[in-house]
Amino acid sequence: MELAYTRDDEEFRTRLRSWLAAVLPTLPPRPDPLDWPARRAYDMGWQRRLYDAGYAGLHWPQAAGGRGATPVQHLIFLEETEAAGAPYVGAGFVGLLHAGPTIAAEGGPAQRARWLPPILRGEEVWCQGFSEPEAGSDLASLRTRAVRSGDSYVVTGTKIWTSHAEVADWCELLVRTDPEAPRHRGLTWLALPMDAPGVTVRPLRTLAGSQEFAEVFLDEVRVPVGNRVGAENDGWRVTMVTLSFERGTAFAGEVVACRRTLRQLARRAQRDGRWEDPALRRRLGRLNAEFTALWRLVQWNVSEAAHALRHGGSGVPGAGGSVFKLRYSHARQELYETAAAVLGPGSLDLAEEWTRERLSSLSYTIAAGTSQIQHNIVAERVLGLPRGR
Amino acid sequence: MELAYTRDDEEFRTRLRSWLAAVLPTLPPRPDPLDWPARRAYDMGWQRRLYDAGYAGLHWPQAAGGRGATPVQHLIFLEETEAAGAPYVGAGFVGLLHAGPTIAAEGGPAQRARWLPPILRGEEVWCQGFSEPEAGSDLASLRTRAVRSGDSYVVTGTKIWTSHAEVADWCELLVRTDPEAPRHRGLTWLALPMDAPGVTVRPLRTLAGSQEFAEVFLDEVRVPVGNRVGAENDGWRVTMVTLSFERGTAFAGEVVACRRTLRQLARRAQRDGRWEDPALRRRLGRLNAEFTALWRLVQWNVSEAAHALRHGGSGVPGAGGSVFKLRYSHARQELYETAAAVLGPGSLDLAEEWTRERLSSLSYTIAAGTSQIQHNIVAERVLGLPRGR
Amino acid sequence: MDFRLTRDQEALRRGMRDLLAARFGREELRAAVDGADGAEGADRVAGAAGADRAAGTDRSNAGEGADRAGERSVPGGRLWRELGAAGLFALRAPERSGGVGSGLPEAVLVFEEAGRALLPGPLVATELAGSTGLVPGAAEGTVPVTALAGARAGDCALVEHLASAGAVLLLEEGRPARVLDPAAPAAVPMRSADPLTPLHRVRAPLPGPDRAPYRSADGSADGAVDGGEGAAPDGGVLLLEGALLAAAQQLGSARRTLELAVGYAREREQFGRPIGSFQAVQHLCAGMLVRSETARSVVYAAAVTADEAEIRAAKLLADTAAVDNARDCLQVYGGTGFTWEADVHLHLKRAWLRAEQWCAAAGSEERLASALLRPAGR
Amino acid sequence: MDFRLTRDQEALRRGMRDLLAARFGREELRAAVDGADGAEGADRVAGAAGADRAAGTDRSNAGEGADRAGERSVPGGRLWRELGAAGLFALRAPERSGGVGSGLPEAVLVFEEAGRALLPGPLVATELAGSTGLVPGAAEGTVPVTALAGARAGDCALVEHLASAGAVLLLEEGRPARVLDPAAPAAVPMRSADPLTPLHRVRAPLPGPDRAPYRSADGSADGAVDGGEGAAPDGGVLLLEGALLAAAQQLGSARRTLELAVGYAREREQFGRPIGSFQAVQHLCAGMLVRSETARSVVYAAAVTADEAEIRAAKLLADTAAVDNARDCLQVYGGTGFTWEADVHLHLKRAWLRAEQWCAAAGSEERLASALLRPAGR
């Protein structure tokens, strides 16, 4: 049980903090959230600065062009960038956190050379084409078909919940290549160029009113066979390898942000006279305990991941992440419910960021595996309870 | 939507109230809760007074010796007796509310003549032998065997959660007569004389420290074939007919009692200075809303039952009762959790009735169908969702 | 005692459901949302570099999009006049005053249907004004009426549909109801979370008689009140009646989201079978039914007894049922429910809003706690 | 940063688990319960007409049954001396004073095991007294020490195991810790809900120096304190350390009830399959793991940082985890769990008790709220 950081890690933190202090004031103003091209430019500009300063692909293996940093350094990076108010990974998310690592782990040399450097340098944006209208919790039931035709696959289907589709260069796509095979078999991983004929992107409006996501319609889109990563019909394994390439750092930055948000909420309650309500105060106090614990849980998971990596593993299994995600999703929703209690009638005002975030927080028990599915995962994979039928 | 009572019903209430006012002061002191014979005598004495005053078997059909009262009058009876602090049904519970109605509905003339009058007159006590250690939520999996031997069944097995077994004359017993048949088939309903050789009663201590229940061990106990109600292997149907002989009045008296208890709790909070805590006050206020609603839900269910009876039905289906039971179980537990919050350290003191009732309340989400099972019933039988697998 | 609905009540409810299905079905609902949304959307992109931005929308008018678009359902518009003709706003007015002469139970049934259909507009205040005769034209649905209800000094009160209202009821406990000119309150527009309910906020102290009320309801200004019967009704009484009608709407919403969830759970397949066959989903749905049935029993009872504590209990339970059922419906729908196109969010947002209106939880909980200390009647 | 346990810590934990398994396994636990229960049971039937009633038990002594029966585990008895020899009560005392010289993290691991095993006795106060050297004999386990911790004027404070204690720690924030004679507090026995923890209640104002304290810890009375280092430790500091050790016990209990529930869910069959294959049961168990893992992370962190806010957070989350896990374990066990013979209720009752001891929720929530208003460090 050592929470103090090593001298190396502290030096890493100090260098990073100095660099952030120097670079953040030089950034251009944040773009309007509805201006996709401006957002892409902003996010890629930030990625380029990270690249130039040696922070790009921090947690990627060095063989893939990354820095091979430990999970602890990755955590420090997330903590410090969040605390300093640095830009989020934004449009670089899928490339840096999923498609890139997938290609690094499963791609051939040419594929790695083609796709990885532009991700690290902030030159190409990736999006993710996994979910479908009929395949949400049950990803293995996806229906988008890919039929081999000469040197190409011809792909037809619909993908949903795709972020940054409007400005992406590439889409990591999971398609069904063998409709006869059992559900998890017969899937294949393809890199789809978003400018291919037959690709249509339609913004998808959420209940929060935002258009963070899109639907991607694929109408006989030709994808070269050379864009396939892994073997044909082996896409499920290829994808899952990377989905569990998770080192306890998921949502780490968000927890740091939530703790700051909670302090702001307390001050808001004080300003509005709501601090006089002991029930509300105690609710805020309990949230303080909750997010204190969540931060420690992140550190615990990172420590476990670091240990596993040192011993040849790939990081925490996804199931450990499920425990964290279940608790964090609930805590985040409770944070914004408490904010609504502080605001009272003001909680109906979309001009309040609290209100918009309350709406967004509703997705946390649904997206990336509903809380129901996460409970199943924990029960069966961590606790070893017999499989449900 | 008529909540006012008819003139007939009001007259019934007035007569009952006068009678209660006259008879209650003449009752002997309540017996010690651990003295079973005294409790039996007390409860049977009360039943005899009800019988003499014309209130015995209020809701039983007249053909069975009952009064054939409407569900509304039954509700008035429960409300008034509870409000007046009259004794509970106690040792008469199984006879009056389950075994008796079963015999009335499914028994032959001789059986009815033998068993029903002593129940109504407070002369014989019945207990229930359904649950088994291995058959809780899944009653149909019960294992107690009955083998036909001449004019008798020879019964061997263990029953659990039997109330008043120590002082019962009879036990309504569900046994397996055909081990080859599917789970719900092959069961038979028998009336077991509790003084038969081979019957052993062992008190079962609950976590509340009380010994309200017992285990009943049956070692080759001979039960005459004439004690069988319904056909051999038809016991599941016989039992279920009566289990759903429920007219929305289950727990009605308890809801009246909880409302009184809640007022006592508020006064206790005031006495102890806990009323100054607004969080606690609001919790009490919400419980007031909750039990107000539960009383109205009872009235709603009784109205539905009365309507169904007038149109030839037998009362509310068990599923409507599940909705009530789910809500009530939770509300009762919340009532005693709130009491613990009022008492603070005093909540650890068993000298406080609140503490003992808090422990007892823990059974409400388990006994007579866990809340998990009740949710299933509501989902599948009321909402018509597809059966789980 | 027969708590069930009478035949007439069943018929009334059925009539209102049919009317709303015909005149404000899902298509009209979504048209109203899109209309409101167009205006609001234009506001949202103001300042953005998006190619399709609509310029020049005055932010202070943004909330009124719901009134400008979705023509049929605009308060005071065609649908409102039809609803007025059907008696929605004068159910409880005496027949001699052109009303229906029904009671609170009938009003509750009708408002439950309105909540179920997500009917927009200041329905509760207009019914109060129409049934009491406080505002001419309210009963007919031609003059929408909104309310400033139960705000205390220092409070920040919500007023809905202020821009389309012809009058504002000012309801304070222990004082006669008053009718204000919509221009009277110093109101600041909000960007309403509910796309169909434009909102303003008013900070108490509220406008007094010196601030040119539209008309004071005690008869001291122009116009006779309530068929000339003199004294204006007590603000506290109307406040409670309003809370009950709002509770009825919450109940309708809660029952509707239950229907939606059950329907979706039956149809939607994952892992090769309907999600409604999974215990986790079954239990969510069962919990929703428990909430709505419990809320229903106390809402209906409060309509019969008109007892203050019971009305407050009804509002508390109906608020919880509406909000929590919408939340659970969203969870059953999963990603589909998170889209703008699904109706779930409309129920959730309206439920959140109504929970803040017409007696919010904390105050009612305090009252219901105090009631426990009073000697119990039988 | 490497949050995981070191090899030494793992070994320490394993050693304590093995020791407790050998010396206080399930048989000893139930023997202790039955012993306590015999005395308490005799009290319970006093006044009853039962044939087998035991007469003449003084009610005021009833709570001490746990001490009289179940000989091995009596505070100060054989097991206690063995635990003392193993260092349980002097883990944090300097080696020169005969202690182990470990830190809070090691104490937390050991107390987690104690909570897991439901080890009875005033463990926390005895450890505080042993590790600070405030009470001779505490470190060796021969003099059990209980505590009057954090009670404010007007409060009604619980004191556990008063009859078997050789000293009482009086811990108040902002004042030096004091050691009282067990006879000093005007204590009233309670019928403890936890069969293994006899309780008294003491109403503040607490006994002052004029009421013949056993010994004042500031050295003003007889006996040297803390190896002669002079000033007694601050009561507030010991209070927090006590809260952390209690949190560790809660954590051990929460993890144990999870194990019990999972084990039962795997074995118990209903409807032809293990109940653990039903989603409803799976989700209960998964929720229990989420609680105990989250509590664990903050309890261990608080042991490292010894930060007040973090200790209070740890106690809050561990209390909730212990109580809610015991409740859910009971629900998984169903009727079986409702019996006296199952251990579930022992965990639940102990968890309820510990939640009231060593910083209860309301006060900590208030402190943690106030902490939000202070400028955040990095």
Side-chain angles (χ1 to χ4, degrees), chain D residues 54-89:
Chain D
T57 306
D58 181 355
R59 198 180 184 103
S60 69
N61 291 326
E64 294 154 34
D67 300 350
R68 271 188 273 117
E71 177 66 22
R72 283 191 55 85
S73 58
V74 166
R78 209 167 89 215
L79 177 60
W80 268 58
R81 292 193 299 275
E82 286 177 2
L83 292 167
L88 178 67
F89 304 118

mmCIF file of all heavy atoms in Angstrom, chain D residues 54-89:
data_model
loop_
_atom_site.group_PDB
_atom_site.id
_atom_site.type_symbol
_atom_site.label_atom_id
_atom_site.label_comp_id
_atom_site.label_asym_id
_atom_site.label_seq_id
_atom_site.Cartn_x
_atom_site.Cartn_y
_atom_site.Cartn_z
ATOM 1 N N ALA D 54 -35.158 -20.066 33.105
ATOM 2 C CA ALA D 54 -34.087 -19.974 34.095
ATOM 3 C C ALA D 54 -34.386 -18.778 34.969
ATOM 4 O O ALA D 54 -34.590 -17.678 34.462
ATOM 5 C CB ALA D 54 -32.745 -19.799 33.402
ATOM 6 N N ALA D 55 -34.441 -19.011 36.224
ATOM 7 C CA ALA D 55 -34.893 -17.947 37.129
ATOM 8 C C ALA D 55 -33.709 -17.159 37.686
ATOM 9 O O ALA D 55 -32.569 -17.591 37.649
ATOM 10 C CB ALA D 55 -35.699 -18.552 38.265
ATOM 11 N N GLY D 56 -34.013 -15.991 38.165
ATOM 12 C CA GLY D 56 -33.075 -15.255 38.999
ATOM 13 C C GLY D 56 -31.974 -14.517 38.264
ATOM 14 O O GLY D 56 -31.049 -14.016 38.885
ATOM 15 N N THR D 57 -32.035 -14.441 36.944
ATOM 16 C CA THR D 57 -31.003 -13.691 36.243
ATOM 17 C C THR D 57 -31.245 -12.205 36.436
ATOM 18 O O THR D 57 -32.312 -11.699 36.139
ATOM 19 C CB THR D 57 -31.033 -14.015 34.745
ATOM 20 O OG1 THR D 57 -30.933 -15.405 34.593
ATOM 21 C CG2 THR D 57 -29.909 -13.323 34.030
ATOM 22 N N ASP D 58 -30.244 -11.542 36.903
ATOM 23 C CA ASP D 58 -30.377 -10.104 37.090
ATOM 24 C C ASP D 58 -30.337 -9.433 35.730
ATOM 25 O O ASP D 58 -29.374 -9.560 34.986
ATOM 26 C CB ASP D 58 -29.232 -9.611 37.973
ATOM 27 C CG ASP D 58 -29.327 -8.113 38.213
ATOM 28 O OD1 ASP D 58 -30.222 -7.464 37.605
ATOM 29 O OD2 ASP D 58 -28.525 -7.597 38.991
ATOM 30 N N ARG D 59 -31.380 -8.714 35.431
ATOM 31 C CA ARG D 59 -31.477 -8.100 34.122
ATOM 32 C C ARG D 59 -30.276 -7.202 33.819
ATOM 33 O O ARG D 59 -29.800 -7.138 32.700
ATOM 34 C CB ARG D 59 -32.754 -7.277 34.058
ATOM 35 C CG ARG D 59 -33.176 -6.955 32.653
ATOM 36 C CD ARG D 59 -34.464 -6.138 32.650
ATOM 37 N NE ARG D 59 -34.874 -5.930 31.267
ATOM 38 C CZ ARG D 59 -35.834 -6.599 30.687
ATOM 39 N NH1 ARG D 59 -36.493 -7.531 31.319
ATOM 40 N NH2 ARG D 59 -36.153 -6.348 29.427
ATOM 41 N N SER D 60 -29.770 -6.529 34.834
ATOM 42 C CA SER D 60 -28.681 -5.587 34.585
ATOM 43 C C SER D 60 -27.398 -6.302 34.175
ATOM 44 O O SER D 60 -26.482 -5.697 33.665
ATOM 45 C CB SER D 60 -28.423 -4.744 35.833
ATOM 46 O OG SER D 60 -27.870 -5.571 36.843
ATOM 47 N N ASN D 61 -27.356 -7.592 34.407
ATOM 48 C CA ASN D 61 -26.156 -8.327 34.018
ATOM 49 C C ASN D 61 -26.337 -9.095 32.715
ATOM 50 O O ASN D 61 -25.404 -9.725 32.239
ATOM 51 C CB ASN D 61 -25.782 -9.341 35.102
ATOM 52 C CG ASN D 61 -25.302 -8.637 36.340
ATOM 53 O OD1 ASN D 61 -24.670 -7.590 36.238
ATOM 54 N ND2 ASN D 61 -25.637 -9.179 37.496
ATOM 55 N N ALA D 62 -27.541 -9.036 32.205
ATOM 56 C CA ALA D 62 -27.861 -9.893 31.064
ATOM 57 C C ALA D 62 -26.871 -9.709 29.928
ATOM 58 O O ALA D 62 -26.428 -10.654 29.303
ATOM 59 C CB ALA D 62 -29.268 -9.598 30.583
ATOM 60 N N GLY D 63 -26.511 -8.436 29.665
ATOM 61 C CA GLY D 63 -25.659 -8.151 28.525
ATOM 62 C C GLY D 63 -24.280 -8.778 28.639
ATOM 63 O O GLY D 63 -23.553 -8.874 27.662
ATOM 64 N N GLU D 64 -23.940 -9.205 29.825
ATOM 65 C CA GLU D 64 -22.585 -9.715 29.993
ATOM 66 C C GLU D 64 -22.459 -11.201 29.713
ATOM 67 O O GLU D 64 -21.408 -11.792 29.907
ATOM 68 C CB GLU D 64 -22.103 -9.414 31.413
ATOM 69 C CG GLU D 64 -21.949 -7.915 31.627
ATOM 70 C CD GLU D 64 -22.097 -7.548 33.086
ATOM 71 O OE1 GLU D 64 -21.680 -8.352 33.929
ATOM 72 O OE2 GLU D 64 -22.623 -6.450 33.354
ATOM 73 N N GLY D 65 -23.525 -11.793 29.258
ATOM 74 C CA GLY D 65 -23.490 -13.210 28.944
ATOM 75 C C GLY D 65 -22.341 -13.544 28.016
ATOM 76 O O GLY D 65 -21.663 -14.562 28.169
ATOM 77 N N ALA D 66 -22.110 -12.658 27.071
ATOM 78 C CA ALA D 66 -21.052 -12.911 26.094
ATOM 79 C C ALA D 66 -19.712 -13.077 26.792
ATOM 80 O O ALA D 66 -18.828 -13.774 26.313
ATOM 81 C CB ALA D 66 -20.987 -11.772 25.093
ATOM 82 N N ASP D 67 -19.586 -12.400 27.926
ATOM 83 C CA ASP D 67 -18.307 -12.479 28.618
ATOM 84 C C ASP D 67 -18.217 -13.739 29.476
ATOM 85 O O ASP D 67 -17.152 -14.310 29.622
ATOM 86 C CB ASP D 67 -18.126 -11.230 29.471
ATOM 87 C CG ASP D 67 -18.135 -9.993 28.604
ATOM 88 O OD1 ASP D 67 -18.097 -10.136 27.363
ATOM 89 O OD2 ASP D 67 -18.168 -8.907 29.151
ATOM 90 N N ARG D 68 -19.350 -14.129 30.029
ATOM 91 C CA ARG D 68 -19.305 -15.280 30.918
ATOM 92 C C ARG D 68 -19.211 -16.588 30.149
ATOM 93 O O ARG D 68 -18.496 -17.494 30.535
ATOM 94 C CB ARG D 68 -20.543 -15.293 31.817
ATOM 95 C CG ARG D 68 -20.300 -14.497 33.111
ATOM 96 C CD ARG D 68 -21.447 -14.663 34.079
ATOM 97 N NE ARG D 68 -22.480 -13.680 33.807
ATOM 98 C CZ ARG D 68 -23.705 -13.973 33.427
ATOM 99 N NH1 ARG D 68 -24.068 -15.225 33.260
ATOM 100 N NH2 ARG D 68 -24.577 -13.024 33.206
ATOM 101 N N ALA D 69 -19.939 -16.672 29.062
ATOM 102 C CA ALA D 69 -19.927 -17.922 28.306
ATOM 103 C C ALA D 69 -18.955 -17.818 27.135
ATOM 104 O O ALA D 69 -18.340 -16.788 26.909
ATOM 105 C CB ALA D 69 -21.334 -18.226 27.821
ATOM 106 N N GLY D 70 -18.842 -18.887 26.391
ATOM 107 C CA GLY D 70 -17.930 -18.897 25.250
ATOM 108 C C GLY D 70 -16.532 -18.546 25.733
ATOM 109 O O GLY D 70 -15.882 -17.642 25.210
ATOM 110 N N GLU D 71 -16.090 -19.251 26.715
ATOM 111 C CA GLU D 71 -14.901 -18.925 27.518
ATOM 112 C C GLU D 71 -13.725 -18.395 26.695
ATOM 113 O O GLU D 71 -13.176 -17.338 26.980
ATOM 114 C CB GLU D 71 -14.487 -20.192 28.302
ATOM 115 C CG GLU D 71 -13.230 -20.055 29.146
ATOM 116 C CD GLU D 71 -13.422 -19.061 30.291
ATOM 117 O OE1 GLU D 71 -14.585 -18.830 30.671
ATOM 118 O OE2 GLU D 71 -12.421 -18.525 30.779
ATOM 119 N N ARG D 72 -13.353 -19.116 25.638
ATOM 120 C CA ARG D 72 -12.138 -18.776 24.890
ATOM 121 C C ARG D 72 -12.078 -17.324 24.451
ATOM 122 O O ARG D 72 -11.028 -16.699 24.469
ATOM 123 C CB ARG D 72 -12.046 -19.641 23.623
ATOM 124 C CG ARG D 72 -11.602 -21.078 23.845
ATOM 125 C CD ARG D 72 -11.289 -21.707 22.499
ATOM 126 N NE ARG D 72 -10.304 -20.910 21.772
ATOM 127 C CZ ARG D 72 -9.009 -21.021 21.939
ATOM 128 N NH1 ARG D 72 -8.531 -21.896 22.781
ATOM 129 N NH2 ARG D 72 -8.187 -20.271 21.254
ATOM 130 N N SER D 73 -13.232 -16.825 23.974
ATOM 131 C CA SER D 73 -13.198 -15.520 23.309
ATOM 132 C C SER D 73 -13.525 -14.368 24.244
ATOM 133 O O SER D 73 -13.669 -13.238 23.813
ATOM 134 C CB SER D 73 -14.174 -15.519 22.133
ATOM 135 O OG SER D 73 -15.478 -15.809 22.592
ATOM 136 N N VAL D 74 -13.662 -14.643 25.531
ATOM 137 C CA VAL D 74 -13.948 -13.570 26.480
ATOM 138 C C VAL D 74 -12.828 -12.533 26.423
ATOM 139 O O VAL D 74 -11.655 -12.887 26.413
ATOM 140 C CB VAL D 74 -14.057 -14.162 27.905
ATOM 141 C CG1 VAL D 74 -14.009 -13.054 28.945
ATOM 142 C CG2 VAL D 74 -15.310 -14.987 28.037
ATOM 143 N N PRO D 75 -13.191 -11.246 26.374
ATOM 144 C CA PRO D 75 -12.152 -10.215 26.367
ATOM 145 C C PRO D 75 -11.234 -10.397 27.574
ATOM 146 O O PRO D 75 -11.701 -10.532 28.692
ATOM 147 C CB PRO D 75 -12.952 -8.910 26.470
ATOM 148 C CG PRO D 75 -14.289 -9.240 25.885
ATOM 149 C CD PRO D 75 -14.550 -10.677 26.253
ATOM 150 N N GLY D 76 -9.946 -10.408 27.302
ATOM 151 C CA GLY D 76 -8.982 -10.634 28.351
ATOM 152 C C GLY D 76 -8.698 -12.107 28.604
ATOM 153 O O GLY D 76 -7.793 -12.442 29.358
ATOM 154 N N GLY D 77 -9.469 -12.975 27.955
ATOM 155 C CA GLY D 77 -9.307 -14.415 28.164
ATOM 156 C C GLY D 77 -8.221 -15.007 27.281
ATOM 157 O O GLY D 77 -7.356 -14.302 26.752
ATOM 158 N N ARG D 78 -8.301 -16.338 27.103
ATOM 159 C CA ARG D 78 -7.195 -17.043 26.471
ATOM 160 C C ARG D 78 -6.947 -16.555 25.036
ATOM 161 O O ARG D 78 -5.827 -16.253 24.642
ATOM 162 C CB ARG D 78 -7.495 -18.541 26.468
ATOM 163 C CG ARG D 78 -6.238 -19.378 26.506
ATOM 164 C CD ARG D 78 -6.562 -20.817 26.828
ATOM 165 N NE ARG D 78 -6.828 -21.596 25.648
ATOM 166 C CZ ARG D 78 -7.719 -22.586 25.576
ATOM 167 N NH1 ARG D 78 -8.449 -22.887 26.630
ATOM 168 N NH2 ARG D 78 -7.888 -23.256 24.458
ATOM 169 N N LEU D 79 -8.041 -16.478 24.260
ATOM 170 C CA LEU D 79 -7.874 -16.039 22.876
ATOM 171 C C LEU D 79 -7.293 -14.631 22.823
ATOM 172 O O LEU D 79 -6.413 -14.326 22.018
ATOM 173 C CB LEU D 79 -9.232 -16.089 22.157
ATOM 174 C CG LEU D 79 -9.234 -15.581 20.728
ATOM 175 C CD1 LEU D 79 -8.282 -16.385 19.848
ATOM 176 C CD2 LEU D 79 -10.648 -15.630 20.150
ATOM 177 N N TRP D 80 -7.784 -13.788 23.697
ATOM 178 C CA TRP D 80 -7.271 -12.414 23.720
ATOM 179 C C TRP D 80 -5.774 -12.372 24.007
ATOM 180 O O TRP D 80 -5.043 -11.582 23.413
ATOM 181 C CB TRP D 80 -8.038 -11.585 24.761
ATOM 182 C CG TRP D 80 -9.209 -10.891 24.129
ATOM 183 C CD1 TRP D 80 -10.230 -11.487 23.469
ATOM 184 C CD2 TRP D 80 -9.427 -9.485 24.061
ATOM 185 N NE1 TRP D 80 -11.100 -10.541 22.998
ATOM 186 C CE2 TRP D 80 -10.637 -9.294 23.361
ATOM 187 C CE3 TRP D 80 -8.739 -8.369 24.540
ATOM 188 C CZ2 TRP D 80 -11.156 -8.026 23.107
ATOM 189 C CZ3 TRP D 80 -9.262 -7.106 24.302
ATOM 190 C CH2 TRP D 80 -10.457 -6.948 23.585
ATOM 191 N N ARG D 81 -5.351 -13.239 24.909
ATOM 192 C CA ARG D 81 -3.916 -13.239 25.211
ATOM 193 C C ARG D 81 -3.117 -13.747 24.006
ATOM 194 O O ARG D 81 -2.041 -13.251 23.696
ATOM 195 C CB ARG D 81 -3.648 -14.074 26.458
ATOM 196 C CG ARG D 81 -4.239 -13.417 27.719
ATOM 197 C CD ARG D 81 -3.722 -14.042 29.009
ATOM 198 N NE ARG D 81 -4.056 -15.453 29.143
ATOM 199 C CZ ARG D 81 -5.217 -15.941 29.634
ATOM 200 N NH1 ARG D 81 -6.161 -15.089 30.035
ATOM 201 N NH2 ARG D 81 -5.422 -17.232 29.725
ATOM 202 N N GLU D 82 -3.678 -14.735 23.325
ATOM 203 C CA GLU D 82 -3.006 -15.211 22.109
ATOM 204 C C GLU D 82 -2.937 -14.105 21.064
ATOM 205 O O GLU D 82 -1.920 -13.920 20.383
ATOM 206 C CB GLU D 82 -3.753 -16.409 21.519
ATOM 207 C CG GLU D 82 -3.554 -17.699 22.317
ATOM 208 C CD GLU D 82 -4.368 -18.856 21.741
ATOM 209 O OE1 GLU D 82 -5.044 -18.662 20.710
ATOM 210 O OE2 GLU D 82 -4.323 -19.941 22.322
ATOM 211 N N LEU D 83 -4.045 -13.378 20.938
ATOM 212 C CA LEU D 83 -4.073 -12.288 19.956
ATOM 213 C C LEU D 83 -3.091 -11.196 20.379
ATOM 214 O O LEU D 83 -2.423 -10.585 19.536
ATOM 215 C CB LEU D 83 -5.486 -11.727 19.823
ATOM 216 C CG LEU D 83 -6.505 -12.694 19.193
ATOM 217 C CD1 LEU D 83 -7.929 -12.179 19.385
ATOM 218 C CD2 LEU D 83 -6.202 -12.890 17.710
ATOM 219 N N GLY D 84 -3.026 -10.969 21.653
ATOM 220 C CA GLY D 84 -2.064 -9.999 22.159
ATOM 221 C C GLY D 84 -0.637 -10.425 21.831
ATOM 222 O O GLY D 84 0.183 -9.622 21.372
ATOM 223 N N ALA D 85 -0.378 -11.718 22.036
ATOM 224 C CA ALA D 85 0.956 -12.230 21.714
ATOM 225 C C ALA D 85 1.236 -12.087 20.221
ATOM 226 O O ALA D 85 2.370 -11.836 19.799
ATOM 227 C CB ALA D 85 1.057 -13.694 22.147
ATOM 228 N N ALA D 86 0.194 -12.234 19.406
ATOM 229 C CA ALA D 86 0.364 -12.091 17.955
ATOM 230 C C ALA D 86 0.487 -10.627 17.552
ATOM 231 O O ALA D 86 0.723 -10.318 16.383
ATOM 232 C CB ALA D 86 -0.809 -12.740 17.220
ATOM 233 N N GLY D 87 0.290 -9.717 18.498
ATOM 234 C CA GLY D 87 0.525 -8.297 18.216
ATOM 235 C C GLY D 87 -0.719 -7.503 17.857
ATOM 236 O O GLY D 87 -0.624 -6.326 17.530
ATOM 237 N N LEU D 88 -1.891 -8.126 17.950
ATOM 238 C CA LEU D 88 -3.114 -7.435 17.517
ATOM 239 C C LEU D 88 -3.302 -6.094 18.222
ATOM 240 O O LEU D 88 -3.792 -5.144 17.630
ATOM 241 C CB LEU D 88 -4.336 -8.336 17.769
ATOM 242 C CG LEU D 88 -5.695 -7.739 17.410
ATOM 243 C CD1 LEU D 88 -5.826 -7.543 15.900
ATOM 244 C CD2 LEU D 88 -6.840 -8.611 17.906
ATOM 245 N N PHE D 89 -2.905 -6.028 19.491
ATOM 246 C CA PHE D 89 -3.200 -4.820 20.267
ATOM 247 C C PHE D 89 -1.991 -3.896 20.410
ATOM 248 O O PHE D 89 -2.042 -2.911 21.140
ATOM 249 C CB PHE D 89 -3.713 -5.210 21.653
ATOM 250 C CG PHE D 89 -4.908 -6.119 21.606
ATOM 251 C CD1 PHE D 89 -4.858 -7.404 22.134
ATOM 252 C CD2 PHE D 89 -6.085 -5.696 20.996
ATOM 253 C CE1 PHE D 89 -5.964 -8.244 22.089
ATOM 254 C CE2 PHE D 89 -7.196 -6.535 20.937
ATOM 255 C CZ PHE D 89 -7.129 -7.813 21.477
#
